[in-house]
Amino acid sequence: MGRQPCCDRVGLKRGPWTIEEDHKLLHFILNNGIQCWRTVPKLAGLQRCGKSCRLRWINYLRPDLKRGALSKAEEDQIIQLHAHLGNRWSKIASYFPGRTDNEIKNHWNTRIKKRLQLLGIDPLTHQPIDKEKYQEEPDDTEKLSTTETYDKRNETENFIENATDISLPNNEYHNMLCENFDVDLWNKSFKTMSSATCYSPSISLETGESINLSTTTESSSNNVAAPAEQDSIQQWMDSIFSCAVNQLEEDLFFLRKYN
DNA sequence: AACACGGTCAACCGCTAAATG
DNA sequence: GCATTTAGCGGTTGACCGTGT
């Protein structure tokens, strides 16, 4: 038995939120901030549980939420991230400022899943469905146990997280990126972030040499980011790294499989 | 007009991990 | 170290809406 529902206390309201409730919650949080969700409904004068308030804030009232449908580029990026992270929606959502995990999860379940199926791709494994049939009985060497799959996923995630240093020091990822640089992939990734571009899309190598990754965007005269640009750069780097790691993993997968 | 059906998405449920006493 | 509380997460549900018959 798990914990009892938090909203089963008598008198607590459930279901859709009214404009008045939204108003109360929004005003309370904007004026007081959030210390403890459990106390929020009481202090804000709401007949809701804290959990319900939290969800309403995160998924609907937060001022930094981005409204509107997800773009094709965002969808593509979700697919890429899902291939690495699985159904870890909050992790995936962290790559999309202003989008919620719930929104991305819903979008995946109602649209992307179908789109992939129409393209003959299994949304769970991200492999072609025909190929899956062909692989019904893979070699023992190709089978990964649940633990191995989990380790691999963590490894990838740690790899991405550790590789988000904007200064690109002499680390493993830096070397891999330079050795396996894929212009098309880079351009594709760069385009997905085009709305946030306010920086010079180039990276500096240890040799002092600089790779200019500009496509149609103007390059600035230096590569030092102004503080206000740090967030968009971080988003951009996150996007690039996830796509690049995905590409490397795919390459490794096929090398291992067919060599 | 009435009904059935399917798609969408806000909200809830149940669980785990982290925080706290 | 243990029990309890809380925040956060992913899965699921159900109300609502548009479309087809």
Side-chain angles (χ1 to χ4, degrees):
Chain A
M1 282 289 278
R3 284 174 55 202
Q4 292 299 305
C6 63
C7 299
D8 60 355
R9 275 171 286 164
V10 180
L12 286 191
K13 194 167 175 251
R14 296 176 53 183
W17 281 64
T18 63
I19 294 171
E20 194 191 347
E21 287 177 312
D22 279 345
H23 226 251
K24 281 183 180 175
L25 181 60
L26 188 62
H27 269 258
F28 176 80
I29 292 175
L30 292 179
N31 290 328
N32 304 285
I34 307 155
Q35 278 87 38
C36 171
W37 280 112
R38 205 165 79 97
T39 61
V40 166
K42 194 180 171 187
L43 297 172
L46 289 160
Q47 298 295 104
R48 297 269 182 178
C49 68
K51 201 170 180 176
S52 183
C53 293
R54 180 186 151 267
L55 227 58
R56 186 64 179 171
W57 172 258
I58 289 171
N59 291 332
Y60 191 80
L61 296 175
R62 245 168 56 198
D64 61 325
L65 280 182
K66 198 193 276 186
R67 308 282 179 186
L70 283 106
S71 66
K72 174 77 168 48
E74 282 177 311
E75 273 192 11
D76 289 342
Q77 207 183 344
I78 290 170
I79 294 166
Q80 296 271 342
L81 289 165
H82 186 272
H84 287 293
L85 303 171
N87 293 357
R88 286 190 287 179
W89 305 114
S90 65
K91 197 79 198 167
I92 293 173
S94 68
Y95 288 84
F96 301 88
R99 301 289 190 188
T100 68
D101 55 347
N102 210 28
E103 186 181 12
I104 288 173
K105 180 174 64 180
N106 281 335
H107 196 78
W108 175 269
N109 286 327
T110 58
R111 305 222 180 104
I112 300 178
K113 243 173 152 176
K114 284 169 198 161
R115 193 179 128 202
L116 289 177
Q117 278 161 351
L118 279 173
L119 291 169
I121 297 166
D122 187 325
L124 275 177
T125 61
H126 293 262
Q127 297 298 314
I129 290 164
D130 286 342
K131 196 169 133 192
E132 292 238 314
K133 283 179 188 166
Y134 179 69
Q135 292 180 336
E136 264 176 349
E137 291 187 22
D139 293 341
D140 284 342
T141 52
E142 291 176 355
K143 288 179 184 170
L144 283 178
S145 69
T146 309
T147 314
E148 283 169 332
T149 308
Y150 182 78
D151 289 346
K152 189 170 176 291
R153 199 169 68 169
N154 276 346
E155 198 179 298
T156 307
E157 191 184 332
N158 291 337
F159 198 50
I160 293 169
E161 282 174 355
N162 292 335
T164 52
D165 183 350
I166 289 174
S167 64
L168 288 179
N170 181 19
N171 62 20
E172 191 186 357
Y173 184 78
H174 171 258
N175 296 333
M176 284 174 74
L177 190 60
C178 295
E179 281 168 19
N180 297 279
F181 185 70
D182 179 326
V183 175
D184 287 335
L185 180 71
W186 191 277
N187 284 338
K188 187 179 154 202
S189 303
F190 180 71
K191 280 172 192 163
T192 68
M193 298 303 291
S194 58
S195 62
T197 50
C198 57
Y199 43 81
S200 170
S202 63
I203 57 173
S204 300
L205 305 182
E206 291 162 57
T207 57
E209 188 187 351
S210 172
I211 302 174
N212 193 340
L213 302 158
S214 175
T215 49
T216 57
T217 315
E218 288 178 19
S219 294
S220 62
S221 56
N222 63 63
N223 295 330
V224 180
E229 299 171 343
Q230 294 286 338
D231 282 349
S232 57
I233 291 181
Q234 191 66 55
Q235 290 165 25
W236 175 64
M237 295 303 282
D238 286 343
S239 162
I240 299 297
F241 288 138
S242 68
C243 291
V245 169
N246 189 30
Q247 180 69 51
L248 291 173
E249 281 211 330
E250 273 176 27
D251 291 344
L252 285 170
F253 173 80
F254 284 107
L255 279 172
R256 278 218 308 259
K257 179 157 178 59
Y258 297 111
N259 283 347

